[in-house]
Amino acid sequence: MNFASKAFFIFLPIVLLVYHWLPRRNSKYRFLLLASWIFYAWAVPYYFWVIIFTSVVDYAAGILIENASTPAGKRRWLLLSLVTNLGFLAAFKYTAFAVDNVLTLARALGWPDAPDWRLDILLPLGISFHTFQGISYTVDVYRGKIPAVRRFVDFALFVAFFPQLVAGPIVRAVEFLPQLVTPPRVTSSQVIEGLHWFLLGLFKKVFIADRLAQFVDIVFAHPGQYDPVTHVWAVLAYAGQIYCDFSGYSDLAIGCAKWFGFELPRNFNFPYLSDSIAEFWKRWHITLSTWMRDYLYISLGGSRQGSSRTYFNLLLTMTLCGLWHGSRWNYVLWGFYNGVLLVLHRLGDRALTGRAWADRLRAAPVYRLLTIVTTFWLVAIGLVMVRSQTWTGCLLVEQSLCGTAVTAVAPATAAAQRWLPAWVPLLVGLVAAGHAFSGLRDRRCGVLELPPLVRAGAYASAVFLIVAFGPGATKSFIYFQF
Amino acid sequence: MVADREATFLRSALRGATHSFRSNLAVLPTLDSLTAWLLRYRVILFFVIGLIALDTVIHSYRHVWQAYDPDEYVDRVAACRRGHWDLVVIGGSPVSEGVDPSILKGASWQGQPLERVYNLGLPGGTTTDFWHAVRHGVSAPPRLLIYGITASDLNDSRLEPHGARLLAFSDLRTWARERPKTSEWVTRHYLEEHLTEFWKLWRHRNGIRLWAADLAERSWPGLCPAAAEEARSGLYYSAGLNRGDGYAPRVEFEAKRLDQIKAAGGINQPFPFLTDYRVGQHLAYLHRLLDWAARGGASVVLVDMPVSADLECRYPAEFGQYRSVLAEIEQHRGLRVLRANREAVGLGDADFADLIHLNAAGRARFCVWLKEKLTAENAKSTERRVD
C-alpha cells in the first residue's frame, strides 16, 4: 500500500479510530499488528509468509541467545538469525543479479550456449528494511545491549509496524521496544506534530518529488537529445526529487507513528547542507548509515586495526551499502564511489587536523560555503550513476556536470536541445529554500516555530497545493524498490 | 423486558467504550476543560477552519473552474433536462463527435419537423450509462429518440467509472441486485463520485490547475505551455457544452484524417474497448431504454454507427456478434435500424479522425445522410398510415 494512495487514506483513519477505541494495551497492540500485516499483504499477499517466518526466527533467536549459557551457544543462534535474514535478502534481491552476471561471465569465457535466463523476482515489501531490523535486534541481544523480548506480539509489531515497514526509518529495537512497555498514550503535541510531519511528507512527495520526476524521467530516458545545461538541471531536479521522495516518506512515517503514540528516529537532516561527504552520510538516511556503522563497519573492526584496514573497511561498508540500495552495478559503483570519497576525506582530514592555518581556513564562512557546494557536486555525480539507464547516458551527463561536455561530446550532441520548464527551477529553489529556512538555522523544521495561525495557514495551503497541483497519478516512492 | 435489557447493555457498552477511549487517548476533552482543550489544539482548529474557508471560496467560484474542466456527463445531462426536445440523440463518443444537431434540425418526423435537437452523446460510455443519462436527463420523452449504437457500447467487459456520476441510489441498488459480480466496483465508484461533492477542492482540482496554468501562461509566456494548451482546449469544450444543444466536438478530432495517420504508420494504436467481448448485461439496459420509450410514446431509431474498415477487420468476430444481436432486436422489438455503413454513407478513411471517430468532413457527410434517411423513413411511415 502506498502512503499517497486513496486506499491508505481509508485504511489510516479506520486503524486510528479502532486503535484508540480499544481499551487495553494488549488489544491495541494486537490490532496494530494485524493492521500492519494487512498493510504488508495488501499488494502481494503470497509473500505474507516471509515477514511471519523472519519474525518467528528472530523472536526465537533472541530468546535462545539470551538463554544460551556459553558464548558458542549464543553465537550459534545469532548465526541462525543472520543466515535467515541475509538469506532471504540475498535470495529475493540478488539471485537475478547473480545469475545474470554468472551467465554473462560464462559467455565471455567462451560458453556461447549459456542459457539466456532473465529472472524477474518480485521483491517482498520492505524486505531490505525489516531484515535489517531483525538483524539489529538479535545482534543487540547478543551484545547484551537489550534483553530478549518475551511477547511475540511486541516483537512482531516492532518488525511490522506499518508506518516504517516499507521504506524505513530503520528502527532499532532499543528505540522502539521500550515504547511498547509504557501504556500507549497520545499527547496533544504528538497529534499536532503528527499532522505537521504527515503534511510535510505528503507535500514533499506529491507536490515536489512527483512533479520533478516528470522532468527527470524524460531527460534521463534520452540524455543525448538534451544539451549540458538541461543535463545539469535534470541532475539538480533529481537531487531534489530523491531527497523529497525519501525524506517525504520518512516524514509521513514519523507523523503517522506519532498518531499511534510512537516516536520514530529522524532519518534526514538537510543533507545538502553538508560540508563534507562524511557529514553527508551523517545527514542522509541516518538510520541506514548508523546501522551500517554499528553492525557492519564496527563488526569489521572499524578504525581499530590500523589505517589501511580502516580504509578497506570504509570501502567495503560503502560498497555493500550501494549493493543494499539495488542489485545493479550502478549501485555497486555508487557505493564504491562514496567509499572512495570517504577515504579521501579521512586522509585529507588527518593531514590537515592540528594545523593552525587549516583551522583558520575552516572557520571562514566562504570556505564553508565552498565545501557545501563541492560536497553537493560530489553527491550529484554519485546520483547520476544511480539514475542513468545506460552507461553511455551516465557518461554524457557526468561530462555535462563536470563542464567537459562542450568539447568532449559536442559532435554527438550537436542537435541536442535545451529544455527547461519554468517550474523546474522553482521547485529546485523550493527545496533549497527549505534547507536554508530550517537547516541553516539548525532547526528541525522552521514551520514548527511559527505562530499557530500562520502554521495552520501553511498547512491549509499545503493541502491546497498537494490536491490542486500534485500530479494526478502518484508514483510509488523511490525507496520502495530498495 | 428484553428491550430494556438490550438498552441497558447498549448504554453500559457505550459508557465503557467512551471511558476507555478517553482514558487511552489523552486528546479527548471533558466538558469543563473544553477551553483548555481548544487552546491546546488551536493549530488543528485553525487548520480545519482554513480548509472549510478554502472550500467555501472554491465553491463560490465554481463557474470559473468548471469553465476549464467541465463535467461532461453531468453538464450534458443537466442541460438536456432543462429543455424539451423533439429529437434526442444518444450514444458514445461516435455520437458526441459525429452528430451535429444543427444539420439534423428540420428533419421531418411523423409529418412535423424536428426543430429542437439535442446531442446526448457521452464519450466513453456504455449502453448502461446511456440509459442512466436518458432516465435522469430527458424529463419528457421526445418525439424521436435516436440511439447511435456501436459494438463497444454492448461489451460487458467494459465498466466505465465516469458513468457512476449519473447514478442515483436507486440505480445503484438495481445494479447491485442485477449484476452482483460488479456490485463492489459500482458501489466504490458511486461513493467516490458522490463523496467528491463534499470536498470542493478535490472536486475542482483539475479546473483550478488549468485556470492557474492559463493565468500563469498569460502573465509569463512559456511558463507552462502544455498545461495552458490543455486549459484552452477545456475552455473551448466547455463553450461547446454551453451552446445549448449538447454538441461539443473535440478540437483534436476536427481535422485529423485516418488515411494520413495510416500513411505515417500510426495505425497500430490499441483499441481496448472491444477486447474480451461479451454481450448480455449492457444489453438488458437497451431493452429497459426501449421499454421506457414505448411507455412515453417516443419513437426509437437505432443507427448502427459507421466505423473504419480497419477496426472491423481487426475485430470481425466481435462485430459479427454485435450485428447479430442488433438484427435480433430489430426483429423481436419491431425497431427500425439504420445501417450507416461506410458504403451506404460514402465514407472513406479520409472521413475518420481515428479508428472510430468521424472528423469534420465525415461528420457533415454522415449527418446529411442521416437527415435524408429520417425524411425517407418519415415518408414511408406516412405512406403506411395513409394506406
Side-chain angles (χ1 to χ4, degrees):
Chain A
M1 199 183 290
N2 188 336
F3 271 10
S5 67
K6 282 181 196 164
F8 182 73
F9 281 88
I10 297 168
F11 171 86
L12 181 64
I14 293 171
V15 174
L16 273 170
L17 271 175
V18 175
Y19 177 81
H20 289 296
W21 178 77
L22 287 169
R24 282 181 298 277
R25 173 190 179 280
N26 288 353
S27 51
K28 278 177 192 294
Y29 291 161
R30 269 188 219 122
F31 171 74
L32 197 52
L33 176 62
L34 181 72
S36 298
W37 280 346
I38 290 171
F39 181 91
Y40 179 87
W42 190 268
V44 195
Y46 53 83
Y47 276 156
F48 183 50
W49 63 275
V50 173
I51 199 165
I52 299 284
F53 187 81
T54 50
S55 298
V56 168
V57 169
D58 291 332
Y59 167 73
I63 292 173
L64 291 168
I65 289 169
E66 197 171 68
N67 291 348
S69 50
T70 62
K74 286 179 190 290
R75 262 200 305 277
R76 196 165 50 237
W77 296 120
L78 174 67
L79 200 64
L80 171 76
S81 163
L82 292 177
V83 167
T84 306
N85 285 294
L86 295 177
F88 270 107
L89 194 59
F92 282 110
K93 200 168 173 178
Y94 302 110
T95 304
F97 180 61
V99 168
D100 190 40
N101 281 291
V102 167
L103 292 176
T104 308
L105 191 69
R107 273 184 226 108
L109 292 176
W111 185 27
D113 298 333
D116 189 22
W117 292 339
R118 286 275 178 276
L119 293 182
D120 190 12
I121 301 171
L122 185 67
L123 278 183
L125 197 74
I127 190 163
S128 306
F129 293 88
H130 71 73
T131 49
F132 270 32
Q133 287 195 188
I135 291 172
S136 80
Y137 165 73
T138 46
V139 171
D140 282 353
V141 172
Y142 176 79
R143 288 175 177 170
K145 283 187 178 174
I146 52 166
V149 182
R150 298 285 158 172
R151 281 170 44 85
F152 179 71
V153 172
D154 286 4
F155 180 76
L157 184 58
F158 154 66
V159 174
F161 184 46
F162 77 86
Q164 47 85 51
L165 173 66
V166 183
I170 300 170
V171 185
R172 306 279 184 90
V174 72
E175 292 164 327
F176 192 84
L177 291 172
Q179 297 186 56
L180 294 174
V181 178
T182 52
R185 289 177 68 87
V186 181
T187 63
S188 59
S189 69
Q190 277 179 316
V191 173
I192 296 167
E193 283 190 17
L195 177 74
H196 171 87
W197 293 112
F198 192 85
L199 285 177
L200 184 67
L202 211 55
F203 181 77
K204 282 177 174 175
K205 163 67 184 159
V206 179
F207 185 71
I208 303 179
D210 285 356
R211 272 259 168 249
L212 286 175
Q214 293 177 342
F215 173 67
V216 172
D217 289 351
I218 293 171
V219 177
F220 274 96
H222 304 287
Q225 293 177 5
Y226 300 99
D227 74 344
V229 174
T230 309
H231 290 161
V232 172
W233 274 107
V235 176
L236 291 173
Y238 183 58
Q241 183 203 345
I242 195 166
Y243 167 71
C244 288
D245 193 286
F246 189 23
S247 74
Y249 185 90
S250 294
D251 291 343
L252 280 163
I254 289 167
C256 265
K258 280 180 188 287
W259 287 335
F260 291 97
F262 292 99
E263 295 294 333
L264 297 184
R266 188 180 187 181
N267 216 13
F268 286 85
N269 182 19
F270 307 102
Y272 296 143
L273 290 177
S274 309
D275 56 13
S276 70
I277 195 71
E279 197 193 344
F280 175 79
W281 280 104
K282 285 177 189 157
R283 289 168 173 260
W284 177 275
H285 203 172
I286 298 166
T287 55
L288 174 71
S289 39
T290 50
W291 193 99
M292 285 287 180
R293 183 196 64 201
D294 293 347
Y295 299 103
L296 183 60
Y297 177 70
I298 289 177
S299 300
L300 289 169
S303 56
R304 299 187 303 272
Q305 294 169 338
S307 299
S308 39
R309 182 61 197 253
T310 303
Y311 298 139
F312 172 78
N313 289 344
L314 268 177
L315 279 174
L316 184 65
T317 303
M318 291 315 291
T319 307
L320 290 174
C321 177
L323 194 62
W324 176 88
H325 278 84
S327 52
R328 279 164 48 198
W329 285 109
N330 304 39
Y331 288 106
V332 178
L333 179 68
W334 173 71
F336 182 74
Y337 166 79
N338 275 282
V340 170
L341 291 181
L342 283 170
V343 167
L344 292 175
H345 170 75
R346 195 178 171 89
L347 280 167
D349 201 42
R350 285 285 163 94
L352 295 179
T353 301
R355 296 177 194 276
W357 63 267
D359 292 341
R360 275 200 304 280
L361 187 68
R362 280 172 173 171
V366 179
Y367 176 81
R368 180 163 150 72
L369 184 68
L370 206 66
T371 52
I372 288 174
V373 173
T374 310
T375 305
F376 178 77
W377 178 68
L378 291 169
V379 167
I381 286 175
L383 289 177
V384 175
M385 295 173 196
V386 172
R387 184 60 186 80
S388 295
Q389 292 170 7
T390 61
W391 292 112
T392 325
C394 176
L395 196 64
L396 191 66
V397 180
E398 295 289 20
Q399 283 175 322
S400 298
L401 210 54
C402 296
T404 56
V406 182
T407 52
V409 290
T413 57
Q417 55 171 322
R418 181 165 302 176
W419 177 52
L420 182 62
W423 47 267
V424 172
L426 285 175
L427 291 181
V428 170
L430 195 58
V431 178
H435 272 62
F437 180 61
S438 303
L440 281 181
R441 297 186 305 146
D442 212 16
R443 304 286 196 274
R444 189 161 178 189
C445 181
V447 176
L448 282 169
E449 292 168 10
L450 296 173
L453 201 60
V454 182
R455 265 173 78 181
Y459 297 155
S461 307
V463 170
F464 174 73
L465 292 172
I466 289 166
V467 174
F469 299 104
T474 305
K475 289 166 75 97
S476 274
F477 288 88
I478 292 177
Y479 261 67
F480 276 20
Q481 63 190 292
F482 301 148
Chain B
M1 193 65 177
V2 175
D4 280 354
R5 266 209 306 272
E6 279 177 358
T8 314
F9 172 76
L10 277 175
R11 265 199 299 272
S12 63
L14 197 63
R15 242 195 326 267
T18 313
H19 175 74
S20 71
F21 200 93
R22 281 184 179 164
S23 60
N24 288 295
L25 183 69
V27 298
L28 279 190
T30 53
L31 278 173
D32 51 352
S33 63
L34 187 63
T35 317
W37 188 86
L38 286 176
L39 211 63
R40 214 164 46 237
Y41 288 100
R42 63 192 182 281
V43 173
I44 289 180
L45 193 70
F46 294 154
F47 169 59
V48 173
I49 291 169
L51 285 182
I52 293 169
L54 186 66
D55 241 34
T56 310
V57 172
I58 288 169
H59 182 61
S60 59
Y61 285 94
R62 61 190 176 281
H63 59 281
V64 176
W65 330 124
Q66 279 166 354
Y68 284 93
D69 181 35
D71 187 335
E72 51 186 359
Y73 276 32
V74 170
D75 289 357
R76 278 175 197 272
V77 169
C80 186
R81 195 169 40 234
R82 284 195 293 271
H84 288 278
W85 310 99
D86 298 323
L87 166 60
V88 173
V89 190
I90 61 168
S93 56
V95 167
S96 65
E97 300 300 329
V99 176
D100 183 348
S102 67
I103 300 177
L104 291 184
K105 188 177 171 183
S108 187
W109 186 257
Q110 292 170 349
Q112 286 183 329
L114 298 162
E115 291 299 338
R116 293 163 301 177
V117 183
Y118 193 86
N119 182 332
L120 190 55
L122 302 179
T126 59
T127 306
T128 304
D129 301 325
F130 308 146
W131 155 245
H132 290 131
V134 167
R135 181 166 133 79
H136 300 295
V138 184
S139 46
R143 284 170 49 214
L144 176 61
L145 181 79
I146 293 180
Y147 178 6
I149 192 168
T150 192
S152 53
D153 294 359
L154 297 174
N155 186 3
D156 285 341
S157 298
R158 287 183 63 207
L159 291 169
E160 301 297 345
H162 22 268
R165 283 192 67 71
L166 298 179
L167 296 180
F169 185 67
S170 57
D171 301 323
L172 175 70
R173 259 197 338 222
T174 309
W175 183 313
R177 196 175 54 241
E178 293 176 359
R179 302 159 78 174
K181 278 186 183 167
T182 55
S183 59
E184 182 273 334
W185 179 90
V186 74
T187 308
R188 184 156 43 86
H189 283 281
Y190 172 85
L191 287 174
E192 226 169 78
E193 291 293 345
H194 286 75
L195 289 176
T196 297
E197 287 304 319
F198 291 103
W199 192 15
K200 301 299 176 191
L201 172 59
W202 185 263
R203 162 78 181 78
H204 296 295
R205 66 193 187 284
N206 197 36
I208 294 170
R209 180 180 67 85
L210 294 176
W211 166 80
D214 192 25
L215 199 70
E217 189 67 17
R218 280 174 211 267
S219 310
W220 301 284
L223 189 71
C224 44
E229 181 57 39
E230 197 187 335
R232 276 191 292 276
S233 166
L235 282 175
Y236 175 83
Y237 189 50
S238 171
L241 284 176
N242 288 330
R243 224 171 48 172
D245 60 3
Y247 178 56
R250 292 278 183 181
V251 68
E252 58 265 29
F253 288 129
E254 292 294 276
K256 266 169 68 177
R257 284 174 50 167
L258 182 61
D259 56 341
Q260 291 171 350
I261 296 171
K262 279 164 75 173
I267 189 63
N268 294 324
Q269 73 249 47
F271 192 83
F273 305 101
L274 287 172
T275 47
D276 194 15
Y277 196 72
R278 287 177 282 123
V279 177
Q281 294 184 322
H282 289 313
L283 184 63
Y285 283 82
L286 174 58
H287 287 292
R288 199 162 284 172
L289 182 78
L290 297 176
D291 293 341
W292 172 87
R295 278 198 304 275
S299 306
V300 179
V301 170
L302 293 189
V303 178
D304 181 8
M305 293 297 282
V307 297
S308 67
D310 292 278
L311 188 65
E312 285 196 59
C313 287
R314 213 188 275 187
Y315 297 97
E318 287 78 359
F319 273 98
Q321 189 182 352
Y322 153 70
R323 296 230 160 92
S324 71
V325 167
L326 215 56
E328 216 170 284
I329 295 169
E330 185 179 23
Q331 196 186 347
H332 284 100
R333 308 239 9 175
L335 266 183
R336 186 71 183 105
V337 179
L338 298 179
R339 290 182 170 80
N341 51 54
R342 292 179 302 280
E343 294 74 27
V345 185
L347 298 169
D349 282 351
D351 299 303
F352 284 91
D354 55 22
L355 289 171
I356 198 166
H357 299 112
L358 292 168
N359 57 25
R363 178 174 62 237
R365 192 164 294 160
F366 167 68
C367 289
V368 168
W369 175 89
L370 182 58
K371 189 174 182 180
E372 283 171 4
K373 274 290 189 187
L374 287 176
T375 307
E377 283 297 313
N378 177 57
K380 266 193 244 169
S381 64
T382 313
E383 278 168 22
R384 274 201 293 275
R385 250 181 287 160
V386 171
D387 290 347

